[in-house]
Amino acid sequence: MERLRFGICGLGFAGSVLMAPAMKQHPKAAIVAACDPNPETRAAFGKDYGIPTYENLAAMLDGTELDAVYVASPHQYHCEHVVLAAERGKHIIVEKPLTLNDEDARKMVEAAARCRVQLVVGTSRSHDPVVKTMRDIVQSGEVGRLAMINAWNYTDYLYRPRRPEELDTAQGGGILFSQLPHQLDMIKIIADATIVSVRAAAGQLDARRPTEGHCAAFVTLSNGVFATLVYSGYDHFDSDELQFWIAESGRPKQPKHGNSRKLLAGLSAEQEAALKTQRLGYGGPVAQSYAATEDSRKQPHFGIFIATCERGDLRPNPDGVTVYGNDGPRDVPAHAGRGAYGQGDTIDELYDAIAGAQPALRDAAFGRNTVLASLAILESSRTGREISIPPQDIPCSPAR
């Protein structure tokens, strides 16, 4: 197998700005088609990449020979698109979250097993090289047993331009399905365990953004490791202040407290949705900025993240991981994957699973556990109770 022939389903920010450049430079991937309902976006993308583009996934599957599909459509379409791709025999990378409810999650787990295709959930920040580096340090045993993890992040998430459904919890809006999976997945990968219970509180502080914007949770994992996570997306304190003013993408950042709120002042829902497309879409100012700053990029991150072990604490830094051990701190360079940062490592994970080199860590069952954890956080917040998460109970056939 030389290269995986990918079709990209969804040319929003994740598909066209983050993943496509990584696929273009990855030695084991090739973009051969794309689909998106926006005719201007798909025409521009197709011209720049020299590939055919289609209005929808079915047309792309009919029109082009593919090995794999990268599903980057809105959350509510993930199940439909994953099942369709699986039934056509295509391997899959699907953006986090896997989906928004357990019924759809079960369908996706079952489809991947029944059709004998590999599925990787990504790209969450758990695919970042620094996370693999932390996992490797823990698994090496040099710092002893992992005991707990602390993850917290303060951002402007809720005040970045949004489509209406992105402010509706029932449709996957707010932080519970779009942001917390980053933290949950990072915790699970480093602990090498699944989440078994959650005690949490989440809330809404702005009636104009009627979805959860802040959360605190206590999470217990299947191997006894426990973790706390905190997230706030209200564009006040910015935890990148404590991350050396390196943004989540790994690029240098200037402090701009409150600017996101000001940008949205006076806009209607339609104007805000249009602004999102203009700013974050293919060829927009954010995409241009990302391309221009690629050479100065450091390791990406997701706020403050500290793993506590018997003989030391681990924390990501802009170039790798700092180990605070019995003899003081030392720096470990980040794992070097074949690709670019998290997106490249996501491609590696799918390729290696297909080739039989090693099984996918973030498979459909892994994604379902994260969906159940997000739902449990919401239920715990509403009921005030600790919520148990059932173990994987869907038979999985080996992928081909």
Side-chain angles (χ1 to χ4, degrees), residues 103-126:
E103 180 182 358
D104 284 352
R106 293 176 70 92
K107 289 179 183 177
M108 297 161 85
V109 174
E110 290 167 347
R114 181 179 71 254
C115 301
R116 301 175 67 84
V117 299
Q118 296 287 353
L119 184 151
V120 171
V121 183
T123 303
S124 70
R125 293 266 69 103
S126 74

Side-chain angles (χ1 to χ4, degrees), residues 10 86 91 107 133 194 213 243 299 301 303 326 351 353 362:
H91 303 290
K107 289 179 183 177
T133 304
T194 56
Q243 288 293 103
Q299 290 296 328
H301 67 84
N326 293 341
Y351 186 95
R362 284 150 284 236

Side-chain angles (χ1 to χ4, degrees), residues 9 57 61 69-73 75-95 97-99 104-115 117-121 364:
C9 176
L57 176 58
L61 292 170
V69 174
Y70 170 56
V71 175
S73 51
H75 304 337
Q76 60 268 33
Y77 300 113
H78 284 186
C79 181
E80 173 189 344
H81 290 158
V82 164
V83 172
L84 178 58
E87 290 178 342
R88 297 291 191 92
K90 311 306 177 188
H91 303 290
I92 301 156
I93 295 173
V94 55
E95 267 296 312
L98 179 69
T99 187
D104 284 352
R106 293 176 70 92
K107 289 179 183 177
M108 297 161 85
V109 174
E110 290 167 347
R114 181 179 71 254
C115 301
V117 299
Q118 296 287 353
L119 184 151
V120 171
V121 183

Side-chain angles (χ1 to χ4, degrees), residues 202-338:
Q204 305 174 17
L205 295 178
D206 186 344
R208 297 167 300 175
R209 319 295 276 182
T211 185
E212 285 73 21
H214 66 287
C215 174
F218 184 87
V219 172
T220 305
L221 290 103
S222 55
N223 60 357
V225 173
F226 57 89
T228 61
L229 65 89
V230 171
Y231 192 98
S232 175
Y234 286 105
D235 194 30
H236 290 136
F237 176 64
D238 184 344
S239 53
D240 286 342
E241 179 177 335
L242 305 180
Q243 288 293 103
F244 320 98
W245 283 118
I246 301 295
E248 178 185 331
S249 67
R251 294 168 172 84
K253 178 177 184 177
Q254 293 296 320
K256 294 181 180 179
H257 299 98
N259 275 21
S260 296
R261 285 174 174 262
K262 295 173 186 175
L263 185 66
L264 301 182
L267 297 184
S268 67
E270 293 77 13
Q271 290 171 325
E272 182 176 340
L275 180 62
K276 175 175 181 174
T277 299
Q278 174 192 341
R279 286 176 56 82
L280 297 180
Y282 183 68
V286 173
Q288 294 177 30
S289 173
Y290 270 40
T293 56
E294 185 65 26
D295 290 344
S296 61
R297 191 177 181 187
K298 296 288 190 178
Q299 290 296 328
H301 67 84
F302 202 71
I304 305 300
F305 196 88
I306 302 173
T308 295
C309 303
E310 287 179 295
R311 296 189 293 277
D313 293 326
L314 314 178
R315 178 192 175 189
N317 65 49
D319 298 305
V321 174
T322 300
V323 180
Y324 299 86
N326 293 341
D327 298 323
R330 63 183 179 85
D331 291 336
V332 178
H335 154 76
R338 287 199 299 262

